[in-house]
Amino acid sequence: MTTNIKRHYNTKDVDMIITASVIIEAAIANKALLQAKRSTWADPFFENIKNRIDAATQDYLGVDNAKDLRLSTQIVLSMQNAALNDLSQVKVQIEQDYKNNPARKTEILTQLGFIPYYKGAQKKDQEALINLLYQFKVNLIPVLKTEIVNKGIAIETLDSIAAYADTLKEADIIQEGTKGTRRELTATAITEFNEIYDAITSIAIISAKLLKDNPALKQQFSYNKVSKTINAGKPYPDTNP
């Protein structure tokens, strides 16, 4: 069912929900400090919003609760970072091992998927990373593997990269399976998401001001910072799980 209702946010619905989940968890973890400065936030104010986020997540994104979605996303991001770390190690070694043979260097980097996909993977494009990993796995034939291992690359690193292909693909399928697409959501869903977004951003703005003398806590209530960490594949600001 299509709708002309405009979203109040410019990210994917699932990313907004994850961001809202992170911020409300931070609010609950620090509610004693916040409630002391704002009487209308007395219990069960934060818990009610958390329950509302969980209900919307279950009803419109098909996930039991927002925490499950947040944790599954953290797992994918963690795997992305680990895979990229190993890939970057192999790439720089190939570049240095074959710097006096640029044709062979380009051939190997292309064969293993670095030329077409590495830049996209660095930008946290999951599809680019999965394509890179699969091309790496398929094209790392025994002859090539022996050749680059003899140059000094650890065979364990190569095997680890090949293993990431299937593991990350499975995790990505699970994660993507929880994501509602924009055109599938009803006007009711978007209205609820907008109201959740408006509530969370108000909590975030007020909390950041109330906690201005505590920079470590204040950053947990920056909606933009939390949202950007989700899309950039970085760890979330420290909050209680």
Side-chain angles (χ1 to χ4, degrees), residues 21 26 30 50 70 123:
S21 174
N30 297 283
K50 179 181 182 298
R70 176 163 56 90
K123 296 177 181 178

Side-chain angles (χ1 to χ4, degrees), residues 53-126:
I53 292 169
D54 284 346
T57 304
Q58 182 173 10
D59 292 343
Y60 305 122
L61 296 181
V63 187
D64 286 345
N65 58 57
K67 185 175 181 180
D68 288 342
L69 179 57
R70 176 163 56 90
L71 293 177
S72 69
T73 300
Q74 286 177 310
I75 290 170
V76 172
L77 295 179
S78 176
M79 292 178 65
Q80 281 183 316
N81 292 334
L84 281 169
N85 182 59
D86 285 348
L87 285 164
S88 66
Q89 291 180 24
V90 170
K91 183 175 182 288
V92 72
Q93 290 179 79
I94 291 172
E95 289 171 339
Q96 294 306 307
D97 290 339
Y98 292 90
K99 65 181 179 181
N100 294 323
N101 188 348
R104 182 57 177 158
K105 176 183 70 176
T106 299
E107 181 182 356
I108 293 174
L109 291 175
T110 301
Q111 185 174 343
L112 294 181
F114 287 100
I115 299 298
Y117 299 118
Y118 186 71
K119 287 185 178 180
Q122 281 186 307
K123 296 177 181 178
K124 307 300 180 181
D125 182 327
Q126 290 183 22

Side-chain angles (χ1 to χ4, degrees), residues 23 41 199-209 218 221-223:
I23 290 173
W41 285 357
I200 286 297
T201 50
S202 291
I203 289 171
I205 291 169
I206 294 172
S207 296
K209 183 63 68 173
K218 180 181 177 181
F221 295 93
S222 169
Y223 184 93

